[in-house]
Amino acid sequence: MSRALEPLEPAPGVPTPAAPRARDGSRPTSGVGPPLAPIFTAMAVMVLVVLALSFARSAGVVAALWGAGGLAVAVWLRTSRGPLYDLSFGALVAMGIAAGELLAGNSTLLTVMFTVANMLEIYVCVLLARRFAPTLNLASVQGACRFLVSAAVLGPLPAALFAGAMLWWMNGADFLDSVQTWWFGHALGVAVLASFGLALTKREIVRFRAPARTIEAIVLLSLLTALCIVVFSQQMPIGFITMPLLLLIAVRLRMLGVTAALVIISILAVGGSMRGLGPYGVAFEGPDRAMMAQLLILFGYLPIMLVAALLEERDRLSDRAKAGQVRAERASEAKSRLLANVAHEIKSPVGGVIGIGELWKTGQLGAITPTQGEMAEMLVKTARQVEALAHDLLDVARAESGAVKVELRPTDVPGVLEDVKRAVALRPESEGVRLEVVSEGDGLIALADSQRLTQVISNLASNAVKYGGSGGVVTFRASKVYDGVRIEVSDRGPGLSPEKQAQLFEPFNRLGLERSAVEGHGIGLALAKRLVELQGGSIGVTSTPGEGATFWVEMPAA
């Protein structure tokens, strides 16, 4: 049998090597369990056997609630460290079961038969849990479902069939009643006690070290106990009233609290039904009382475990998302610092290159030939492009780091558009392009930083001239919209496909035009978007391939 994945506390003085963390954040087992665990488990199993046979027999000699198997399964899965350990653990548990059967008054033959049946059940449950739920992680919906179906539902079935057949052969007991009572009672024990044992991890215990959380757990579980005593001592169908409190326990205490609550409910519900009390005390007789109480817990209350597992899984995913966000923010800050440093390092030497190129071009460094003049002019032009890139990088870094300060004040939008139009008209690439300004209505005053808004509109206008100037017209339009001012920069160029529109505002993305004759670095629109958002506005594009593009900016009205 393979080893389990999470041990109990290691023995004092026994070093344990560091292990990688499991999916739920806890460390998997190193395979080292306390040497006394099998002995204590055998003693606890013996006590549980005596209690079950003394107070919960319903179908002849079969108990309606069996916790011994669930305890043995949980400890075995938590502490197993090899075949020899498994053999010794199984032998001690078998001795505990046999001792309990004898103390409860069973004959030697029944004791042997029940010991074999219980060990068969425990072994099958452990085997199925290791096969289908190897992580033993109840803090996920998949892990909880796998354990409940494999260990709790299917695990006790072979032992139930064996015990039912043996009781029919030995005592003439009703086969179906024996199988049904055994199966439901033992499935309930494994589902409740084994789940509680597996949920009792170091991580959960640490969670309850806070005094406030401990007090909350005590109060909620005490309220549940009191409510269950009332519910299962009255002969009224009011079992449903415990559901809101059980859901609250799932929300506040998660898996450990829910499994502890299910232990309390199981004991009180089955015990009350066996005494003829509770919702099924009058309506049913004999084994049917216990069966209905078992079904109530298995199908009414046990699914709350899945709610707790879902909440645990959500918490884990939320923690991972927060950690990822922190890492992303740190990476973004590092990138912004890198951009700022690169921009600063570029600006100084490029300024020197521009100065030397200007002196060379104007002949102040000596006579030059026409070819040298062209080369000097090309040098200055290229250096200015690098300088512009450095400024853009610095602006992007400042914007992403929040270092850009905007001063919002009433800004005359038509005036900004006229200023941008005049500046763009002086650029060489605007030759042959007609620039128009259209103001629709009066009072087009936006609450914005005039300098930053001008920078944004200039960027949009420059792109319209460079990429859409083939249409011959670029239009600047200002209009009122809702409680703001809308600014549009439209061209009649080739337009943009929906795929390219989705990538427009990504930094350093030139939409496949890197090798074209159109100059650019792909960061202007990303910077414009950030600057608009800093001013409380929004930016976007509307375009149809072949029909031009309209970039719009909406700013709040002053």
Side-chain angles (χ1 to χ4, degrees), residues 148 152-153 180 183-192 262 266 291-304:
L148 290 176
V153 176
Q180 172 185 283
W183 190 13
F184 290 167
H186 288 236
L188 187 59
V190 174
V192 173
L262 289 173
S266 300
M291 182 191 70
M292 294 305 298
Q294 293 167 342
L295 293 177
L296 173 65
I297 299 167
L298 288 172
F299 297 102
Y301 296 129
L302 200 61
I304 303 298

Side-chain angles (χ1 to χ4, degrees), residues 73 77 124-126 128-129 146-156 187 190:
V73 168
L77 289 172
V124 172
C125 288
V126 170
L128 291 178
R146 282 174 171 267
F147 177 77
L148 290 176
V149 172
S150 61
V153 176
L154 300 179
V190 174

Side-chain angles (χ1 to χ4, degrees), residues 370-381:
T371 301
Q372 290 175 336
E374 292 178 2
M375 294 296 293
E377 186 175 356
M378 185 181 301
L379 174 65
V380 172
K381 181 180 179 182

Side-chain angles (χ1 to χ4, degrees), residues 39-183:
I39 298 175
F40 289 141
T41 303
M43 296 173 62
V45 163
M46 179 182 68
V47 173
L48 290 176
V49 168
V50 173
L51 292 175
L53 294 179
S54 301
F55 299 103
R57 292 189 191 217
S58 63
V61 293
V62 181
L65 178 61
W66 192 258
L71 175 64
V73 168
V75 179
W76 199 337
L77 289 172
R78 291 283 300 274
T79 62
S80 178
R81 55 180 180 179
L84 184 60
Y85 180 91
D86 289 342
L87 183 62
S88 61
F89 187 94
L92 287 171
V93 170
M95 292 173 60
I97 293 173
E101 296 281 348
L102 292 173
L103 291 174
N106 281 338
S107 64
T108 303
L109 186 58
L110 280 177
T111 295
V112 173
M113 188 274 292
F114 280 136
T115 301
V116 172
N118 277 282
M119 291 308 301
L120 172 64
E121 173 188 298
I122 294 170
Y123 179 81
V124 172
C125 288
V126 170
L127 192 65
L128 291 178
R130 289 174 173 174
R131 173 63 179 83
F132 296 104
T135 61
L136 303 180
N137 178 23
L138 300 185
S140 69
V141 176
Q142 184 181 28
C145 288
R146 282 174 171 267
F147 177 77
L148 290 176
V149 172
S150 61
V153 176
L154 300 179
L157 184 56
L161 295 173
F162 171 76
M166 292 299 297
L167 289 174
W168 172 80
W169 177 67
M170 296 169 60
N171 298 336
D174 186 277
F175 174 75
L176 291 180
D177 281 348
S178 299
V179 171
Q180 172 185 283
T181 305
W182 181 292
W183 190 13

Side-chain angles (χ1 to χ4, degrees), residues 428-443:
E429 60 265 23
S430 299
E431 185 177 354
V433 178
R434 187 171 80 253
L435 304 176
E436 300 178 346
V437 175
V438 178
S439 299
E440 299 179 352
D442 299 326

